[in-house]
Amino acid sequence: MFIADFHIHSKYSRATSKECVPEMLEMWARRKGIGVVGTGDFTHPGWREELKEKLVPSEEGLYILKDDFRREDKVAGADFEPRFVVTGEISSIYKKNGKVRKVHNLIILPGLEQAEALSQRLEAIGNLHSDGRPILGLDSRDLLEMVLDTCPEAIFIPAHIWTPHFSLFGAYSGFDDIRECFGDLTGSIYALETGLSSDPPMNWRLSALDGFTLVSNSDAHSPMNLGREANIFDTELSYKGIMEALRDRGTKKFYGTIEFFPEEGKYHYDGHRKCNVCWSPSDTIAAGGICPVCGGRITVGVLHRVEALADRPEGFRPSEAKPFESLVPLHEVIASSIASSASSAKVKRKYEDTISTLGPEFYILRGAPLKDIELLAGPYITEGIRRLRCGEIEIQPGYDGEYGKIRI
Ligand SMILES: [Zn+2]
Ligand SMILES: [Zn+2]
């Protein structure tokens, strides 16, 4: 089994950390216990150059960091070397059927040569140099056609499908039906990224999604956020293995996902950030969608949008549904356990101590025996992880771009 996180960004994307470089991404993938990490931003020429310089091919369609660039870092028991797979995200802004649509799509490719070929064609449509996640005036359907025409083995995944302003089903940007977006090519899509603000049970409420593999990725803008959501594969470690696992839904090769609690996401609830209004969907409906502070329209979040499109009651589980685990990042568990802020030096030190004695973060959160954690990390963190594993946590839901707040 291996864990994969495909959707991430490099230092060439807007609002990302300068640390989003191959050597730091590799180090953090080791710390987290991620077997395959996306490169992100394959459309950016500077980033492709850097990837060519620092990575070498490993298994078919995968890459590994060159030894010279490897950062020394102690993670107990982590003797694996994370692989890279070529990925990128494109923001399509276009008019369709009388409305402006803004849809983000994630593309996974079997190599840097294919990334080069596809980028050459996209170059003719828009600027790929100013942002690692380029904005193109290209219809999502036409983008999909161009991707498959350039590379038939490409994997095309509509990204964070519920995000209000930039997604396939977004309340302010998308469509009510995937077929309206991708038309005759809808059948070429076999996976959808559910995003941080929704979890599998929310998505199971739409029978329209039954035919798709529901994937989860971190959309990390800094290496520390890698794997905050991720995918678990039980298949051959290769591009082909990954592609077939995503495509062949009847098998267990795509095992399941690691999730945020959806309330942690930035758009779970409805509300207005600047007006401090955070509402459940029923609150919004009761108020006619109007903010009591500024009188403007409330930003409708993911839970509300899912309910609007759902054709099944809460709690429905389709027969082919995959398992999932809801986790909170280890540094948040530590911060909560020692009553310190997640970005403090104290938490950073404790995090590094913990992984250097116990093992990678996913092992600690998911599998490590509590008595081992207690012995090496102390009683408070152990209690935090125990509560996390049985879901005994409190979350103030995120809304209108504000992350949810966790208390363990
Ligand atoms: Zn996006
Ligand atoms: Zn307001």
Side-chain angles (χ1 to χ4, degrees):
M1 290 227 195
F2 60 90
I3 291 173
D5 179 3
F6 302 119
H7 184 170
I8 70 132
H9 291 282
S10 77
K11 64 176 178 185
Y12 292 102
S13 278
R14 299 241 167 98
T16 57
S17 156
K18 284 188 189 62
E19 297 209 323
C20 288
V21 292
E23 47 273 48
M24 293 302 280
L25 294 167
E26 197 264 358
M27 184 185 83
W28 276 96
R30 256 185 292 139
R31 287 180 159 192
K32 300 273 174 179
I34 296 170
V36 178
V37 63
T39 60
D41 297 0
F42 76 78
T43 50
H44 196 280
W47 185 234
R48 282 200 309 279
E49 274 314 304
E50 192 165 341
L51 295 171
K52 270 184 238 161
E53 181 201 343
K54 295 180 176 172
L55 305 183
V56 280
S58 56
E59 294 80 2
E60 178 239 317
L62 303 177
Y63 293 83
I64 201 162
L65 189 73
K66 284 182 187 164
D67 280 340
D68 308 352
F69 295 101
R70 208 173 146 124
R71 295 281 176 110
E72 273 321 310
D73 187 51
K74 201 164 161 284
V75 184
D79 47 8
F80 71 97
E81 295 177 274
R83 270 58 171 176
F84 284 87
V85 63
V86 178
T87 66
E89 183 187 34
I90 290 169
S91 174
S92 280
I93 302 187
Y94 57 103
K95 213 164 177 183
K96 186 161 189 179
N97 301 335
K99 280 191 198 159
V100 174
R101 318 287 178 159
K102 300 179 186 174
V103 180
H104 287 189
N105 293 295
L106 172 69
I107 298 164
I108 312 180
L109 296 170
L112 287 166
E113 303 74 34
Q114 290 83 348
E116 191 76 50
L118 182 55
S119 301
Q120 261 172 33
R121 292 185 65 176
L122 294 170
E123 193 90 51
I125 293 161
N127 180 358
L128 305 181
H129 297 248
S130 62
D131 192 344
R133 188 196 58 207
I135 298 171
L136 301 177
L138 183 60
D139 188 305
S140 293
R141 185 220 160 266
D142 300 340
L143 172 64
L144 173 57
E145 184 172 45
M146 185 182 288
V147 168
L148 293 176
D149 185 49
T150 313
C151 175
E153 305 81 36
I155 303 167
F156 189 102
I157 303 177
H160 42 71
I161 55 171
W162 296 107
T163 304
H165 304 289
F166 303 99
S167 76
L168 172 60
F169 295 130
Y172 304 106
S173 54
F175 300 84
D176 290 350
D177 186 330
I178 187 171
R179 284 164 298 196
E180 192 188 350
C181 182
F182 292 105
D184 56 323
L185 296 182
T186 306
S188 300
I189 294 186
Y190 40 82
L192 302 172
E193 183 189 74
T194 57
L196 300 175
S197 297
S198 83
D199 66 358
M202 289 166 67
N203 289 274
W204 295 340
R205 295 183 59 191
L206 283 87
S207 60
L209 305 190
D210 283 355
F212 298 93
T213 300
L214 301 177
V215 303
S216 285
N217 297 298
S218 68
D219 202 348
H221 289 203
S222 74
M224 195 171 94
N225 283 337
L226 282 183
R228 55 187 177 172
E229 293 205 327
N231 309 288
I232 308 170
F233 285 87
D234 188 2
T235 189
E236 177 194 291
L237 184 66
S238 70
Y239 183 86
K240 190 160 158 272
I242 291 169
M243 186 182 72
E244 290 177 354
L246 292 171
R247 199 189 53 198
D248 303 340
R249 292 198 68 248
T251 72
K252 289 196 165 145
K253 294 190 280 185
F254 181 83
Y255 181 79
T257 52
I258 290 170
E259 303 279 330
F260 247 33
F261 288 90
E263 297 86 354
E264 282 177 88
K266 283 198 276 194
Y267 290 100
H268 185 69
Y269 255 29
D270 301 341
H272 260 179
R273 173 147 70 155
K274 65 172 172 39
C275 306
N276 248 316
V277 172
C278 171
W279 278 352
S280 71
S282 55
D283 293 334
T284 306
I285 291 162
I290 300 299
C291 173
V293 178
C294 73
R297 297 208 71 84
I298 285 287
T299 303
V300 165
V302 166
L303 184 62
H304 194 143
R305 181 68 177 154
V306 168
E307 277 179 10
L309 296 186
D311 58 347
R312 289 168 175 161
E314 217 176 315
F316 184 91
R317 193 176 194 284
S319 57
E320 294 210 340
K322 303 283 184 184
F324 71 99
E325 297 166 38
S326 304
L327 296 179
V328 171
L330 180 60
H331 60 268
E332 301 263 8
V333 176
I334 294 173
S336 206
S337 309
I338 63 175
S340 186
S341 98
S343 55
S344 70
K346 211 167 136 191
V347 169
K348 186 171 175 278
R349 219 166 31 242
K350 191 76 196 165
Y351 178 90
E352 285 170 7
D353 277 0
T354 310
I355 58 167
S356 71
T357 51
L358 271 163
E361 175 168 343
F362 278 135
Y363 167 70
I364 298 171
L365 294 174
R366 301 170 66 216
L370 290 175
K371 60 176 188 341
D372 293 0
I373 303 176
E374 174 130 33
L375 205 63
L376 294 162
Y380 295 110
I381 293 173
T382 312
E383 178 59 12
I385 290 170
R386 188 194 67 76
R387 289 188 192 177
L388 168 65
R389 286 185 186 168
C390 47
E392 286 173 28
I393 63 170
E394 271 172 49
I395 309 165
Q396 214 181 304
Y399 66 103
D400 196 21
E402 180 90 14
Y403 279 111
K405 290 180 185 65
I406 312 158
R407 250 215 338 260
I408 300 172

